[in-house]
Amino acid sequence: MREAKRITLRLAIVLLLAFVSFNQLFADDDTIFYETFDESFSGRWIVSEKEDYKGEWKREKSEGHDDYGLLVSEPAKKYAIVKELDEPVSLKDGIVLQFETRLQSGLECGGAYLKYLRPQEAGWVPKGFDSESPYSIMFGPDKCGTTNKVHFILKHKNPKSGEYVEHHLKFPPSVPHDKLTHVYTAILKSDNELQILVDGEEKKKANFLTSDDFEPPLVPAKTIPDPDDVKPEDWDERAKIPDPEAAKPEDWDEDAPLEIVDEDAVKPEGWLDDEPEEIDDPEATKPEDWDEEEDGEWEAPKTDNPKCEEAPGCGEWKKPMKRNPAYKGKWHAPLIDNPNYKGIWKPQDIPNPNYFELDQPDFEPIAAVGIEIWTMQDGILFDNILVAKDEKAAASIRDTTWKPKFDAEKEKQKAEEAATGTDGLAGFQKVFELLYQAAELSFLSKHKDKIIELIEKAEKQPNITIGVLVSVVVVILTLFFRIIFGGKKAKVEKKPEPVAETSNKEGSSSGDEKKEETEAENEAAAPARRRPSRREN
């Protein structure tokens, strides 16, 4: 009986080993390129010899691990390095691109993305690798100023014009704000679907051929505005025009001032004409080190006259100003509908000579993997760069190489956050990602910089995170509701002034005269230097 159990156990172990070996063999068949940096990259990866790229690449261990990676060792430099594949790889049947990166010093301004380059026949050499080297796909984190995204850019050739155009994924995921190891995966499928994963979790799904997912769209518009079309000289775009038959009324005085002296005003009882509003401070004393030869004659500082506090006012009383009932401002003819109005002119549409239809993108093959970045931070570590035929190979590598590292780093981070009292910030990561995506919405474009600034402040200062997030949400909702319900302020009913009203037939005092009126009112309402004067009560 015991012998039978031993045989059964041995058989189970053999089957398990066979299953693991089969899976590994299957994964190896799907793996086109896999770089772990367990061995020196010297001689295998080619460092650019271009003058601008002074950054030194190093093979270093990830902090807290025995796992090696390719390190950006110096801040504020450009870096470029490339590894040729054994042979060019077609993307038409689908491909999986994956790599790990760890921002050990954070990332304030810089890139941490990879470029998947076209064959050298396109016009580049490894030692001359730079920003102009022709690539097929650019993928990975990029953050600086208002930019915070996991880039995915496809460089696609227009079959009509022959021009290569960069097509950017719309609303890509944001870059995780921590200093942990993260793994980025792009899955290109033969049915034109694209999936972007961050740490194995889908963050974005798109279709290469829909205009909603890429800017500019891969498939151009069927029609375009005619570049040779010219607006006719007699085309009138004015919806309203001054009434040519209107005439200024004879009693319209354009020179009448906005305000006049109130002749009916009476000086308040108890007004202290002989008392100044300010007096020398009786408690002030000349400093002991005051030198009148160098500093001049010392004068006590002024203070409010206490007698004026109980009186209606001090100093010379003057009659206050009041609104002039005869004021009308500059006359303008009233506006009427323009009988010649034709609307806003735009050129007519013509067939787009560069239009084409696609069943599938005409992907350029990739023949090399390169890193070409400019960054203000050092400590960026690249590792486990993978090009594979099937997403199962990528998932297997994530589970065996990335997951253990990430879990260990996460536990260490939790312990450090608990010790410093900042552990509550981790739960806001998804909120940050959503807000970064919201900041890309077109109706927020004018306020994008300020919104990004607030989000970054919330990421860095846990003690104000909730308050800042609430502020950002309120701003976004306010702008959204303004668009939905209109942005005009409700008119406030004002007490009618004893000023002659202007009918449409007589004209109006809008425009320049309103500006004059506002300036005059502001000047009349200017406050006193030290405290409000009651001289005109």
Side-chain angles (χ1 to χ4, degrees):
M1 189 68 178
R2 289 182 180 177
E3 187 64 27
K5 286 184 179 180
R6 287 176 183 172
I7 293 173
T8 302
L9 180 60
R10 288 173 183 172
L11 182 60
I13 292 172
V14 170
L15 289 173
L16 179 62
L17 290 173
F19 177 75
V20 170
S21 299
F22 177 78
N23 277 345
Q24 186 63 46
L25 198 62
F26 181 76
D28 290 343
D29 288 341
D30 286 335
T31 300
I32 297 170
F33 171 76
Y34 184 44
E35 175 61 80
T36 63
F37 297 104
D38 289 341
E39 299 177 358
S40 172
F41 63 86
S42 179
R44 299 185 301 112
W45 287 72
I46 307 300
V47 178
S48 176
E49 296 180 356
K50 281 292 191 76
E51 185 177 352
D52 289 345
Y53 298 89
K54 301 293 187 182
E56 182 182 0
W57 295 99
K58 291 184 178 181
R59 175 177 169 266
E60 297 284 351
K61 290 182 180 180
S62 179
E63 292 179 7
H65 304 288
D66 288 329
D67 188 31
Y68 283 92
L70 185 64
L71 181 71
V72 170
S73 64
E74 300 171 282
K77 290 186 181 294
K78 288 184 176 181
Y79 292 79
I81 191 170
V82 66
K83 173 71 172 72
E84 293 183 81
L85 304 182
D86 292 338
E87 57 184 22
V89 177
S90 172
L91 308 182
K92 293 184 178 180
D93 296 326
I95 203 77
V96 180
L97 310 174
Q98 181 171 282
F99 68 97
E100 295 174 14
T101 186
R102 186 178 184 187
L103 311 174
Q104 297 176 125
S105 302
L107 187 63
E108 294 295 327
C109 188
Y113 43 78
L114 270 59
K115 288 184 175 180
Y116 300 86
L117 292 100
R118 292 158 50 196
Q120 292 184 39
E121 289 76 13
W124 70 280
V125 293
K127 290 185 179 181
F129 177 43
D130 62 10
S131 61
E132 300 300 318
S133 299
Y135 65 87
S136 181
I137 289 172
M138 187 174 110
F139 172 53
D142 188 22
K143 187 176 180 182
C144 192
T146 59
T147 298
N148 184 332
K149 62 181 71 175
V150 178
H151 271 302
F152 184 92
I153 303 174
L154 172 65
K155 211 161 190 179
H156 189 263
K157 182 179 180 180
N158 184 309
K160 288 287 188 71
S161 66
E163 178 187 6
Y164 282 91
V165 179
E166 289 186 354
H167 301 275
H168 293 244
L169 178 67
K170 289 183 178 180
F171 309 117
S174 60
V175 181
H177 72 284
D178 54 40
K179 300 177 182 179
L180 309 181
T181 301
H182 293 283
V183 58
Y184 300 90
T185 312
I187 303 171
L188 289 71
K189 298 185 177 181
S190 57
D191 63 356
N192 300 326
E193 184 180 276
L194 168 68
Q195 285 179 281
I196 302 295
L197 314 183
V198 178
D199 297 344
E201 180 181 350
E202 182 181 290
K203 296 292 185 179
K204 179 73 177 182
K205 181 181 285 187
N207 188 294
F208 282 107
L209 301 186
T210 63
S211 59
D212 293 336
D213 290 333
F214 281 87
E215 178 61 38
L218 268 74
V219 179
K222 287 186 177 182
T223 61
I224 60 170
D226 184 356
D228 298 323
D229 198 5
V230 179
K231 182 172 72 172
E233 292 183 3
D234 62 346
W235 190 282
D236 198 336
E237 295 183 335
R238 299 172 300 164
K240 299 279 187 179
I241 60 171
D243 185 354
E245 299 180 1
K248 183 174 73 172
E250 293 182 1
D251 62 346
W252 191 289
D253 184 1
E254 292 185 340
D255 298 324
L258 173 65
E259 291 185 327
I260 58 174
V261 176
D262 185 359
E263 298 295 347
D264 297 328
V266 178
K267 182 171 66 173
E269 186 178 349
W271 189 279
L272 304 178
D273 297 81
D274 299 328
E275 287 290 341
E277 289 188 351
E278 294 180 335
I279 60 172
D280 292 343
D281 186 353
E283 297 180 1
T285 57
K286 183 171 69 173
E288 294 181 0
D289 59 349
W290 187 276
D291 187 338
E292 293 194 355
E293 291 185 0
E294 293 185 3
D295 302 327
E297 184 181 355
W298 181 79
E299 294 180 358
K302 298 293 184 180
T303 186
D304 291 339
N305 189 342
K307 294 181 180 179
C308 299
E309 296 294 332
E310 299 175 358
C314 292
E316 181 185 359
W317 180 82
K318 293 180 181 179
K319 290 184 178 182
M321 304 295 285
K322 69 174 184 178
R323 187 174 180 93
N324 184 2
Y327 174 78
K328 292 185 178 181
K330 189 174 181 179
W331 181 85
H332 292 273
L335 297 178
I336 61 171
D337 291 335
N338 183 1
N340 298 320
Y341 176 65
K342 294 184 178 181
I344 303 300
W345 182 86
K346 62 178 182 178
Q348 63 179 346
D349 287 338
I350 60 172
N352 184 355
N354 292 322
Y355 173 75
F356 59 88
E357 293 183 353
L358 281 179
D359 293 326
Q360 186 185 35
D362 187 16
F363 293 111
E364 296 284 346
I366 58 175
V369 177
I371 306 173
E372 186 274 317
I373 58 174
W374 175 85
T375 177
M376 294 301 293
Q377 277 70 47
D378 59 357
I380 302 174
L381 191 78
F382 296 90
D383 198 9
N384 294 315
I385 301 172
L386 172 72
V387 179
K389 299 177 184 177
D390 191 272
E391 56 191 283
K392 291 181 181 177
S396 175
I397 289 174
R398 284 198 305 270
D399 291 341
T400 56
T401 62
W402 167 76
K403 192 70 165 61
K405 284 190 294 187
F406 179 79
D407 288 345
E409 292 165 9
K410 195 71 175 175
E411 287 302 315
K412 183 180 178 182
Q413 183 190 54
K414 285 181 179 178
E416 291 173 350
E417 288 175 347
T420 58
T422 60
D423 52 318
L425 189 59
F428 289 100
Q429 178 58 32
K430 289 190 175 181
V431 178
F432 292 141
E433 292 177 3
L434 290 173
L435 290 176
Y436 276 121
Q437 292 181 27
E440 298 290 336
L441 295 173
S442 57
F443 77 90
L444 295 174
S445 58
K446 292 183 180 179
H447 309 277
K448 179 180 175 182
D449 291 358
K450 187 63 178 176
I451 292 173
I452 294 292
E453 181 184 337
L454 288 172
I455 298 171
E456 290 180 340
K457 187 178 290 186
E459 284 184 317
K460 297 173 186 175
Q461 301 181 40
N463 58 315
I464 63 170
T465 295
I466 295 178
V468 171
L469 292 181
V470 170
S471 301
V472 173
V473 172
V474 168
V475 168
I476 292 175
L477 289 177
T478 301
L479 295 171
F480 175 74
F481 285 125
R482 277 188 185 176
I483 292 174
I484 297 299
F485 300 110
K488 291 185 177 180
K489 295 181 180 179
K491 290 186 177 179
V492 179
E493 291 285 337
K494 288 189 177 181
K495 199 171 182 180
E497 298 281 355
V499 180
E501 295 183 357
T502 303
S503 68
N504 288 338
K505 292 183 179 178
E506 290 183 338
S508 67
S509 59
S510 60
D512 294 338
E513 69 278 9
K514 285 189 178 179
K515 182 179 179 182
E516 294 169 6
E517 181 177 341
T518 302
E519 290 174 351
E521 287 177 341
N522 290 341
E523 186 176 345
R529 181 174 62 86
R530 290 182 62 85
R531 65 181 178 86
S533 174
R534 292 171 289 176
R535 187 173 294 169
E536 299 180 353
N537 288 354

